[in-house]
């Protein structure tokens, strides 16, 4: 969502938790309905920023002043380099046509009021027309859809799969479906606006009231604009995207959006069929069959049509914004329909409530959820000195039944950049976090463009401020631009340390997508090594991963200052599971292929001497 200004006020809390409420589900299986035997690596790109070569970076700069990237900037060379990094999917963020402050009226697009747009370039999560794409991204805005279709084809040709956003919880305050397929009615076109709620209304209304612009900073930093007049024509007023019923939202509300009605009454009760008991164990085919003859709210049908439209165009999957603010019955309905068209579709949801993870996976038929509030938050606390890494073992064991479904990341468009002063502080201090995030589970790994070359998000872009790369402004991404090297995509302007960092990511990601052990079993060895082990202090974390054909010992040092040396113990139960007899075994590091040590197994227990430098990690394979 929008740089995560995420809070739940009274109404939003009612909507969110009543929509999600059900019994806690415990599952004994993993990888349900996911046919992959290799790691998935997602490369998220903010599409508008990726190809921008302009380095002006004027706060609140126009597209002419600060530049913008285009679909065509994703050349065959760029895509090949992304794939060679160790990537399997690209998430093109900000593709659907969203509200922005630029005149495209000559292309039949109405102007958006800056008073209900965040920034100049606009939020990608205030979608204005789901059946077309952002005109900023096209060389010829009249052919913008065709240019994106060509990008889909190029991406597939490069051996990569395509993900785009769908934002079912809310849409732009001024939605205009100028490109609807035949028979598709626009959002709100058939609503009864005289009532707060009706099951088939697409929106919630505040009857007889006019929407009022929120108080706060001047739009466009005070620049004159004919539409900045203190008025936005919305009568009756609609509920705001985060659930606020105020006719005058707070400036921290998602005031640029309106909330979509999925048949959740204002009191939080459900006005649609519910899934029968036991459907947490049913396949997507059974879910699809269940909904086939059911009467569902109109908004469900509209979003299913949107998803199938893009699926038919070759999009391989979707990232769903703020998915837990939409009932999981709807997700069952839509995701099962997508899977019937493409059984291998990649369906990723932004969900932050651990108590609801299993519901959205098992009942909502999601493939993957963000592992934000557990693994990500823990790693951030570790590198900022607020916590030891010991608790990572409890997190992993606690999610053992769903670990494959919990996508790992350290950087994305909402969060502070990994290399920023507010997070790891330097790209090098982020390296041990990346090793753990990538190798601790079978889940997909996600990298945000620029992360692999140390982008720190230091720009104050205008509406967006430093530590995050702004999603609201026309801006350049300096470290990424150095790698891009004026469209050569060869890293020609990177420093030696930045080249080394990218090489680290390339080695790690390519190892991960080819490792059978990383799709196998996990066991922590942290607890046994933290007991009476000289040199093994709280900055060290270790665990093992294995499959039938590969055995790995992973050790990482979160300290950026201290070299540690110790005897790493491999407990007898692991030695037994690995069928290792007493003797000596070579351990070869797979990250850099240059460090080899000996594992000595004696009386059924293993030990190896490890010397590990600051921010260093080893992925030892037993030979």
């Amino acid at each position: 969502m929008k740089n995560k200004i995420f809070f739940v006020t009274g109404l939003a809390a009612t909507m969110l938790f009543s929509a999600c409420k059900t019994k806690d589900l415990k599952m004994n299986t993993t990888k349900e309905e996911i046919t992959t035997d290799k790691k998935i690596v997602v490369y998220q790109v903010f599409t508008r920023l990726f190809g921008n070569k302009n380095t002006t970076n004027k706060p609140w700069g126009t597209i002419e002043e600060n530049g913008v990237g285009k679909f065509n900037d994703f050349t065959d060379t760029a895509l090949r380099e992304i794939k060679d990094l160790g990537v399997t999917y690209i998430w093109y963020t900000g593709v659907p046509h969203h509200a922005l402050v630029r005149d495209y009226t000559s292309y039949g697009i109405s102007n958006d009021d800056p008073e209900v747009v965040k920034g100049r370039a606009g939020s990608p999560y205030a979608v204005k027309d789901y059946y077309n794409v952002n005109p900023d991204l096209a060389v010829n805005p009249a052919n913008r859809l065709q240019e994106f279709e060509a990008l889909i084809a190029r991406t597939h040709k490069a051996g990569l799969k395509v993900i785009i956003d769908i934002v079912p919880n809310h849409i732009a305050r001024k939605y205009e479906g100028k490109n609807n397929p035949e028979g598709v009615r626009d959002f709100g076109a058939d609503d009864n606006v005289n009532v707060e709620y009706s099951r088939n209304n697409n929106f919630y209304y505040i009857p007889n009231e006019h929407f009022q612009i929120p108080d706060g900073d001047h739009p466009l930093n005070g620049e004159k604009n004919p539409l900045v007049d203190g008025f936005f024509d919305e009568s009756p007023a609609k509920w705001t995207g985060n659930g606020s019923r105020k006719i005058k939202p707070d400036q921290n509300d998602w005031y640029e959006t309106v909330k979509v009605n999925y048949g959740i009454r204002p009191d939080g009760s459900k006005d649609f069929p519910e899934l029968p008991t036991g459907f947490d164990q049913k396949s997507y085919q059974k879910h699809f069959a269940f909904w086939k003859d059911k009467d569902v709210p109109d908004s469900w049908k509209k979003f299913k049509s949107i998803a199938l439209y893009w699926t038919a165009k070759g999009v391989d999957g979707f990232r769903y914004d703020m998915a837990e603010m939409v009932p999981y019955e709807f997700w069952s309905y839509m995701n099962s329909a997508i899977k019937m068209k493409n059984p291998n579709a990649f369906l990723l949801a932004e969900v932050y409530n651990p108590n609801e993870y299993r519901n959205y996976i098992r009942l909502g038929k999601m493939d993957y959820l963000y592992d934000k509030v557990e693994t990500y938050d823990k790693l951030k606390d570790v590198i900022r000195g607020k916590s030891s890494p010991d608790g990572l073992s409890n997190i992993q064991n606690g999610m053992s039944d769903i670990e494959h479904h919990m996508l790992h990341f350290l950087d994305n468009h909402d969060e502070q950049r990994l290399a920023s002063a507010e997070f790891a502080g330097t790209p090098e201090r982020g390296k041990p976090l990346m090793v753990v995030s990538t190798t601790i589970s079978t889940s997909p790994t996600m990298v945000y463009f620029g992360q692999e070359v140390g982008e720190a998000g230091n720009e104050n872009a205008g509406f967006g401020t430093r530590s995050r790369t702004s999603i609201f402004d026309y801006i350049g991404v300096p470290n990424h631009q150095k790698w891009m090297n004026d469209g050569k995509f060869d890293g020609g302007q990177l420093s030696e340390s930045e080249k080394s960092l990218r090489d680290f990511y390339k080695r790690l990601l390519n190892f991960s997508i080819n490792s059978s052990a990383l799709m196998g079993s996990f066991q922590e060895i942290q607890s046994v090594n933290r007991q009476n082990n000289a040199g093994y202090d709280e900055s060290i974390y270790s665990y093992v991963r294995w499959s039938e054909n590969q055995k790995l010992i992973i050790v990482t040092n979160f300290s950026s200052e201290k070299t540690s040396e110790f005897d790493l113990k491999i407990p007898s139960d692991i030695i037994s599971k690995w069928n290792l007899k007493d003797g000596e075994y070579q351990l070869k590091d797979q990250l850099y292929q240059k460090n080899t040590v000996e594992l000595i197994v004696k009386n059924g227990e293993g030990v190896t001497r490890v010397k590990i430098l600051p921010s260093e990690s080893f992925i030892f394979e037993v030979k």
Side-chain angles (χ1 to χ4, degrees):
M1 188 49 193
K2 313 152 189 59
N3 277 5
K4 209 66 73 243
I5 306 171
F6 182 60
F7 55 92
V8 185
T9 56
L11 171 74
T14 301
M15 297 296 296
L16 173 57
F17 296 115
S18 63
C20 298
K21 185 174 65 178
T22 190
K23 62 183 181 295
D24 185 30
L25 300 172
K26 297 293 184 183
M27 303 297 296
N28 297 316
T29 58
T30 59
K31 307 178 197 176
E32 178 185 293
E33 298 171 6
I34 298 175
T35 56
T36 177
D37 57 0
K38 289 191 173 184
K39 264 283 196 183
I40 290 171
V41 174
V42 178
Y43 191 74
Q44 182 193 4
V45 293
F46 203 83
T47 315
R48 183 204 307 139
L49 304 181
F50 179 86
N52 184 20
K53 304 178 184 67
N54 189 312
T55 59
T56 303
N57 286 351
K58 175 185 173 182
W60 290 98
T62 65
I63 198 170
E64 291 78 17
E65 292 169 323
N66 283 358
V68 71
K70 305 289 185 181
F71 292 131
N72 286 3
D73 291 319
F74 292 90
T75 63
D76 291 336
T77 300
L79 293 168
R80 182 180 67 246
E81 289 297 321
I82 291 170
K83 185 176 191 300
D84 289 349
L85 184 64
V87 171
T88 56
Y89 283 78
I90 298 185
W91 167 16
Y92 290 113
T93 306
V95 166
H97 184 185
H98 61 79
L100 53 89
V101 183
R102 193 156 191 257
D103 191 342
Y104 284 110
T105 53
S106 62
Y107 299 96
I109 300 169
S110 65
N111 286 327
D112 293 300
D113 190 328
E115 292 159 307
V116 289
V117 175
K118 287 184 174 176
R120 189 184 294 278
S123 168
Y125 298 109
V127 176
K128 177 174 179 168
D129 185 348
Y130 261 114
Y131 290 101
N132 215 319
V133 297
N134 182 357
D136 277 351
L137 303 177
V139 174
N140 180 0
N143 295 329
R144 58 194 183 277
L145 185 57
Q146 291 85 348
E147 289 188 27
F148 180 58
E149 290 170 334
L151 175 56
I152 295 173
R154 284 198 306 281
T155 306
H156 288 161
K157 182 183 174 183
L160 295 160
K161 294 188 176 182
V162 173
I163 301 167
I164 66 169
D165 298 274
I166 291 183
V167 191
N169 179 66
H170 47 273
I171 59 177
R173 201 112 223 165
K174 184 181 180 182
Y175 187 96
E176 288 185 336
K178 295 289 186 69
N179 303 279
N180 294 348
E182 185 177 352
V184 173
R185 296 279 289 166
D186 219 358
F187 282 98
D190 302 311
D191 282 8
N192 176 2
V193 301
N194 298 311
V195 295
E196 181 181 36
Y197 167 83
S198 177
R199 183 176 184 267
N200 285 316
N201 275 1
N202 298 137
F203 306 122
Y204 299 91
Y205 293 91
I206 309 169
N208 305 314
E209 297 285 356
H210 296 272
F211 175 80
Q212 296 179 26
I213 303 294
D215 294 329
D217 296 335
H218 294 294
L220 302 182
N221 202 33
E223 173 188 311
K224 288 188 176 181
N225 182 293
L227 292 176
V228 178
D229 57 3
F231 176 77
F232 177 73
D233 187 13
E234 181 182 292
S235 184
K238 303 180 182 76
W239 290 14
T240 295
N242 60 315
S244 171
R245 294 191 208 190
K246 299 175 183 176
I247 60 172
K248 185 176 185 176
D250 184 82
Q251 63 177 333
N252 292 318
D253 286 329
W254 303 345
Y255 60 81
E256 78 279 26
T257 68
V258 293
K259 185 168 180 62
V260 176
N261 166 26
Y262 282 89
I264 298 289
R265 300 184 186 94
D267 66 4
S269 60
K270 297 177 179 180
D271 195 3
F272 48 77
E274 297 190 44
L275 291 165
T277 301
F279 257 64
D280 56 298
Q281 302 282 351
K282 301 290 186 183
S283 67
Y284 70 80
Q285 293 94 336
K286 295 289 187 182
H287 280 244
F288 179 77
F290 172 80
W291 293 112
K292 202 167 185 180
D293 62 352
K294 300 296 186 297
D295 178 31
V296 298
D298 183 71
S299 295
W300 293 30
K301 300 172 188 176
K302 282 186 166 62
F303 270 100
K304 183 180 80 169
S305 295
I306 289 164
L308 295 182
Y309 170 84
W310 289 110
T311 298
K313 288 191 176 295
V315 169
D316 301 291
F318 304 101
R319 180 268 190 185
Y320 299 130
D321 187 81
M322 294 314 303
E324 67 186 296
M325 296 184 78
V326 178
Y328 56 76
E329 289 90 348
F330 161 73
W331 294 118
S332 165
Y333 168 83
M334 185 164 88
N335 287 343
S336 63
I338 295 169
K339 290 285 190 180
M340 292 299 290
K341 294 293 185 181
N342 178 9
N344 296 315
F346 181 104
L347 306 176
L348 167 65
E350 185 183 24
V351 173
Y352 297 112
N353 183 355
N355 293 328
E356 294 297 337
Y357 286 168
R358 289 164 181 83
N359 291 334
Y360 281 86
I361 293 166
R362 308 302 180 187
L363 293 172
K365 311 314 292 179
M366 295 294 183
D367 294 326
Y368 305 107
L369 312 179
Y370 275 19
D371 189 359
K372 197 273 180 191
V373 301
E374 303 258 27
T375 302
Y376 170 92
D377 281 353
K378 181 66 173 179
L379 288 169
K380 190 171 186 178
D381 282 348
V382 168
I383 206 63
R384 297 174 74 190
K386 295 183 175 182
S387 175
S388 81
D390 296 351
L392 288 164
S393 301
N394 294 333
I395 291 171
Q396 188 65 13
N397 291 329
M399 291 195 294
S400 61
D401 60 322
I402 58 169
E403 57 86 27
H404 180 72
H405 301 273
M406 303 305 298
L407 175 136
H408 285 187
F409 63 89
L410 293 169
D411 216 333
N412 69 28
H413 67 282
D414 278 323
E415 308 300 341
Q416 292 172 321
R417 281 286 194 174
L418 176 61
S420 69
E422 292 77 6
F423 194 164
T426 69
E428 288 69 31
R429 292 190 75 225
K431 289 165 77 173
L433 281 68
M434 189 63 197
V435 170
V436 172
S437 182
T438 302
T439 64
I440 199 169
S441 80
T442 70
S443 68
T445 301
M446 188 169 78
V447 175
Y448 190 34
F449 84 117
Q451 177 185 341
E452 72 277 19
V453 289
E455 178 57 43
N458 286 325
E459 289 65 45
N460 286 310
F463 191 90
T465 55
R466 71 166 313 281
S467 86
R468 295 174 173 88
T469 295
S470 176
I471 65 173
F472 309 107
D473 302 281
Y474 299 113
I475 198 71
V477 184
N479 282 35
H480 168 73
Q481 289 174 320
K482 289 194 284 183
W483 170 76
M484 188 168 57
N485 194 21
D486 200 33
K488 297 183 181 69
F489 302 101
D490 61 2
Q493 298 177 36
L494 294 174
S495 68
E496 289 305 312
S497 64
E498 290 160 351
K499 290 177 182 177
S500 176
L501 181 70
R502 193 173 191 277
D503 179 67
F504 160 80
Y505 273 84
K506 189 172 185 177
R507 289 173 181 272
L508 175 62
L509 296 177
N510 275 284
F511 173 77
S512 76
I513 63 175
N514 290 295
S515 169
S516 62
L518 294 184
M519 295 304 291
S521 300
F522 162 88
Q523 188 168 326
E524 61 92 16
I525 56 174
Q526 183 75 352
S527 53
V528 69
N529 279 285
R530 289 277 272 139
Q531 299 172 12
N532 303 316
N533 192 345
Y536 194 103
D537 60 31
E538 65 178 11
S539 65
I540 307 298
Y541 186 67
S542 61
Y543 50 96
V544 295
R545 301 295 313 277
W546 74 94
S547 64
E548 183 178 351
N549 300 316
Q550 188 180 47
K551 303 171 182 65
L552 302 176
I553 301 169
I554 300 168
V555 189
T556 197
N557 184 3
F558 288 105
S559 173
S560 60
E561 300 174 350
K562 182 179 178 181
T563 296
S564 292
E565 192 167 0
F566 49 84
D567 289 328
L568 184 70
K569 303 171 187 177
I570 310 301
S572 58
D573 62 330
I574 294 172
I575 297 298
S576 176
K577 290 172 184 175
W578 288 1
N579 295 315
L580 297 182
K581 308 300 182 184
D582 283 7
E584 297 181 0
Y585 299 84
Q586 272 199 340
L587 301 180
K588 186 170 184 180
D589 176 47
Q590 299 301 300
L591 198 49
Y592 289 101
Q593 297 285 329
K594 62 183 181 181
N595 192 1
T596 301
V597 296
E598 297 292 327
L599 171 67
I600 299 173
V601 178
K602 185 177 180 181
N603 298 325
E605 295 184 341
V607 65
T608 184
R609 189 69 178 171
V610 173
K611 180 178 181 180
I612 189 165
L613 300 177
S615 300
E616 189 171 38
S617 300
F618 296 125
I619 303 174
F620 289 123
E621 183 171 359
V622 181
K623 295 296 184 180

